Amino acid sequence: MIAATGVDESSLHYRGWRVVLACFLMAFFMFGFGLYGQGVYLAELQRVHGWPGTLVSAASTLSFLLTSVLVIFTDDLLVRIGLRALVLCGLIALGASTALLGLMQAPWQLYLAYALMSVGWTGMGTVVIATVLNSWFVRRRGLALSLAFNGATCGGIVLVPVLLALSGSVGFRSAMLAATIAMVVLVLPVVVVFTGWPADAALNSAEGSPGRGKPARHSRKDLLANASFWTMVVPIALALLAQMGFIIHQVTFLEPLIGRASAGFAVTIMAAMAVVGRLSLGLFVDRLDPRLACAASMTSQAAALLVLLQSTSPVVLLGCCAVYGFSIGNMITFPPLIIQREIGSTAFAAAMGLGTSIGGIVSAFGPGIVGLVRSVSGDYTMAFAMCAALDVVAAGLVLWRPGRRAAGARALAPEQESSVD
């Protein structure tokens, strides 16, 4: 690993930090366009074309499901076409998707645009970002991941208001084309210049053996038989299901209690605290047990939801949203840290792809389940209590460490850090 090379990861001159910048920009535009921007598309496409909301929503759902399938094969693509080529394919696909969203005239083009967005997720999403940063960092891996994934939250905070403002002033079509051009101008040179595997990884791969950063093929069947993998994937998936359910229904719950403006402010606070939470965790997580930190984050979210249900005070409600938001972003930071420590570098990309796929499919049902429980019970008390219960169960599951008692689990990771030192 990098620890053996004597590289100072704390130095600003270390090339890995330029890779972090590239990953930040990838996350900024991928999450800004591919996740947070979908609310803008829903409103604008209905206004411009008069299409029903169900048509756009169905395309969005299919896109997320397709993404969850495609990311399983990220490790195969990294081996076959390489990192830079995969990222460039993702950038081209995302650019084509956003441009088509502005230019489309027929519903079939909507589904094509969302399919292209799924390809963008495969080339520029969390699996690729986590895999490349895992190859560049050892001692400061948690901080690098936190800084890069903060691009995702910043994409929602910055890009969505910009799209809304531009749509109001120059129209949705021009807004999407301008934003697409800005993305290509900013991301393309950074990706070409900064992204890549560490030099010794490239040398090792040229010799026919996997380097410390170069992902190797690994049997997904072996991963599915690994208990440590499941005790990471299942709790993260449950926590994300609860998280997605709360986020989507947050404004609807808060608006009758504190008004529309304050409910919107609560979302802003939550997003801002997600940035603070990622940065705070990044400073210390490399010295922490990631499973313990993950369980603490899940427990804090459960506590915030329970207090939220017991109060009508605007200050308390906003405070609960802030506490909840503190851990939102970290739910995608913990899996790569746990995978690296317990499964290893050889299977890292395969485990990230498979875990992200499972988590994405499970969490996609969060908004629907919360809405169903709310409809049956008549309010959000049972729905959010269910989310809190899922967080508590997830916190307990993530603390289960079968790998410590099953030496066979280590067979998945013959290249642990200590063996390369």
Side-chain angles (χ1 to χ4, degrees):
M1 300 298 290
I2 296 175
T5 68
V7 171
D8 182 9
E9 295 179 12
S10 303
S11 172
L12 293 178
H13 298 290
Y14 177 50
R15 188 187 166 196
W17 295 113
R18 285 172 279 177
V19 179
V20 171
L21 172 61
C23 291
F24 178 94
L25 289 175
M26 288 160 54
F28 179 93
F29 285 102
M30 190 65 252
F31 280 80
F33 280 128
L35 179 61
Y36 299 107
Q38 297 212 19
V40 179
Y41 313 149
L42 177 61
E44 291 297 324
L45 291 174
Q46 289 184 88
R47 184 183 62 81
V48 174
H49 299 288
W51 294 340
T54 52
L55 176 70
V56 183
S57 298
S60 178
T61 299
L62 289 175
S63 174
F64 285 131
L65 292 176
L66 179 59
T67 298
S68 297
V69 173
L70 291 178
V71 294
I72 297 176
F73 306 101
T74 303
D75 60 318
D76 300 296
L77 292 171
L78 287 170
V79 170
R80 291 183 180 181
I81 68 174
L83 171 65
R84 187 174 286 112
L86 179 58
V87 174
L88 289 175
C89 287
L91 177 61
I92 293 170
L94 180 59
S97 172
T98 53
L100 184 57
L101 283 168
L103 297 172
M104 67 176 57
Q105 298 295 325
W108 70 266
Q109 295 171 330
L110 172 67
Y111 285 84
L112 174 59
Y114 275 80
L116 288 169
M117 194 174 290
S118 297
V119 178
W121 277 111
T122 307
M124 294 173 57
T126 56
V127 177
V128 168
I129 291 173
T131 301
V132 66
L133 292 181
N134 177 69
S135 72
W136 279 96
F137 291 90
V138 174
R139 298 187 184 93
R140 308 299 288 172
R141 182 179 291 128
L143 178 59
L145 287 168
S146 296
L147 291 173
F149 284 143
N150 259 331
T153 307
C154 291
I157 295 174
V158 176
L159 193 56
V160 171
V162 168
L163 286 177
L164 288 172
L166 287 176
S167 296
S169 59
V170 299
F172 179 64
R173 174 178 178 173
S174 298
M176 292 302 297
L177 293 178
T180 300
I181 293 171
M183 175 183 68
V184 173
V185 169
L186 289 173
V187 178
L188 181 59
V190 174
V191 167
V192 171
V193 175
F194 292 160
T195 60
W197 303 116
D200 59 331
L203 291 174
N204 288 338
S205 63
E207 294 170 2
S209 60
R212 60 176 169 82
K214 191 75 170 180
R217 291 183 179 276
H218 195 87
S219 171
R220 282 179 279 271
K221 181 179 179 181
D222 292 340
L223 286 170
L224 292 174
N226 187 330
S228 293
F229 174 76
W230 284 110
T231 59
M232 181 276 296
V233 169
V234 172
I236 291 293
L238 292 176
L240 288 175
L241 184 150
Q243 190 167 281
M244 288 292 288
F246 173 72
I247 291 172
I248 298 301
H249 291 270
Q250 180 186 11
V251 173
T252 307
F253 169 77
L254 291 175
E255 187 175 352
L257 298 174
I258 58 178
R260 178 181 293 270
S262 295
F265 183 54
V267 176
T268 301
I269 290 177
M270 187 174 68
M273 286 301 294
V275 175
V276 174
R278 272 209 188 97
L279 290 176
S280 301
L281 179 73
L283 295 174
F284 303 103
V285 72
D286 293 303
R287 298 191 292 272
L288 301 175
D289 182 331
R291 284 188 180 262
L292 285 174
C294 186
S297 294
M298 293 169 176
T299 303
S300 71
Q301 289 192 330
L305 287 175
L306 292 176
V307 174
L308 191 82
L309 292 173
Q310 302 300 317
S311 178
T312 57
S313 167
V315 174
V316 174
L317 294 175
L318 292 175
C320 289
C321 291
V323 172
Y324 194 91
F326 189 82
S327 298
I328 282 180
N330 293 329
M331 289 304 160
I332 63 172
T333 302
F334 290 124
L337 297 175
I338 296 173
I339 289 171
Q340 172 58 36
R341 291 196 183 192
E342 300 183 10
I343 297 179
S345 297
T346 304
F348 185 88
M352 274 297 300
L354 191 57
T356 301
S357 174
I358 295 171
I361 292 173
V362 172
S363 63
F365 292 96
I369 292 175
V370 169
L372 177 62
V373 175
R374 189 255 184 191
S375 298
V376 172
S377 63
D379 59 31
Y380 279 107
T381 302
M382 288 295 296
F384 287 171
M386 177 197 67
C387 291
L390 287 174
D391 280 324
V392 172
V393 171
L397 286 175
V398 81
L399 292 176
W400 183 25
R401 305 167 189 266
R404 288 189 173 182
R405 297 186 298 274
R410 292 194 180 93
L412 281 172
E415 291 189 4
Q416 297 294 336
E417 294 179 11
S418 59
S419 66
V420 188
D421 286 346

